[in-house]
Amino acid sequence: MRADSGKGSAASACSRHSPRRTAERHRAQIRTFLDFSERTVADAGRLTDWLARQVCERARRADRVREALAAQLRDERLERPTRLRLSQMIGSALSRSETALTTKIASRIPAEAVEWMLTLIVQRTVVMVLDRFRVPTVAGVLDRGA
């Protein structure tokens, strides 16, 4: 009789009872017991959008955003993501919120003021570059002209 005949080989027994599979099974049992759902990619995207629009406009600190996300996950009875995924969601939401706020503020600046600011920035940048490369004659002319 062969050693691997019978109900299953030692390798298949190990794969059936691997720590990863056991942990997955335990998480599923806990979700079922607590009536929680497994979080989907769509849930993560929706929650990140919610964070950016609702939470990050008022709270800019990551720990406060994390608390709000944890509360929302509990309210929706969704399994909490890993620490890495939580950090990614929070970072994305903060970044989106910052971009939205910057766009909102920039849209309020009159066109003439934008043109004037860009002219100043270009002049200062040219002067800084020329000073860096020690070109005093051109920098002196630009300084007097500004």
Side-chain angles (χ1 to χ4, degrees), residues 92-111:
S92 177
L94 286 169
S95 177
R96 289 181 196 180
S97 177
E98 187 71 30
T99 300
L101 180 61
T102 302
T103 303
K104 183 178 180 179
I105 292 169
S107 71
R108 295 179 179 176
I109 301 172

Side-chain angles (χ1 to χ4, degrees), residues 23-39 77-80:
E24 289 172 358
R25 189 177 70 245
H26 287 172
R27 280 197 306 272
Q29 289 171 343
I30 291 168
R31 279 194 306 268
T32 301
F33 180 77
L34 296 175
D35 193 30
F36 270 56
S37 300
E38 192 170 6
R39 181 190 37 80
R77 305 197 65 76
L78 291 172
E79 181 181 23
R80 186 180 177 127

Side-chain angles (χ1 to χ4, degrees), residues 33-117:
F33 180 77
L34 296 175
D35 193 30
F36 270 56
S37 300
E38 192 170 6
R39 181 190 37 80
T40 64
V41 173
D43 290 329
R46 182 180 48 76
L47 287 167
T48 302
D49 289 341
W50 172 79
L51 280 174
R53 284 184 278 103
Q54 301 295 322
V55 177
C56 294
E57 287 184 358
R58 295 185 310 273
R60 303 290 313 149
R61 293 180 46 197
D63 58 331
R64 301 237 173 143
V65 176
R66 186 179 309 276
E67 290 170 7
L69 179 55
Q72 187 68 19
L73 287 165
R74 279 191 305 274
D75 289 347
E76 293 186 21
R77 305 197 65 76
L78 291 172
E79 181 181 23
R80 186 180 177 127
T82 64
R83 286 184 187 172
L84 175 63
R85 186 65 186 125
L86 275 175
S87 295
Q88 290 171 339
M89 291 170 67
I90 291 166
S92 177
L94 286 169
S95 177
R96 289 181 196 180
S97 177
E98 187 71 30
T99 300
L101 180 61
T102 302
T103 303
K104 183 178 180 179
I105 292 169
S107 71
R108 295 179 179 176
I109 301 172
E112 311 83 47
V114 171
E115 191 175 319
W116 179 72
M117 287 188 293

Side-chain angles (χ1 to χ4, degrees), residues 1 12 14 57 72 78 88 90 93 106 109 120 129-130 134:
M1 186 170 209
S12 67
C14 284
E57 287 184 358
Q72 187 68 19
L78 291 172
Q88 290 171 339
I90 291 166
I109 301 172
L120 286 176
V129 168
L130 293 174
R134 305 205 190 290

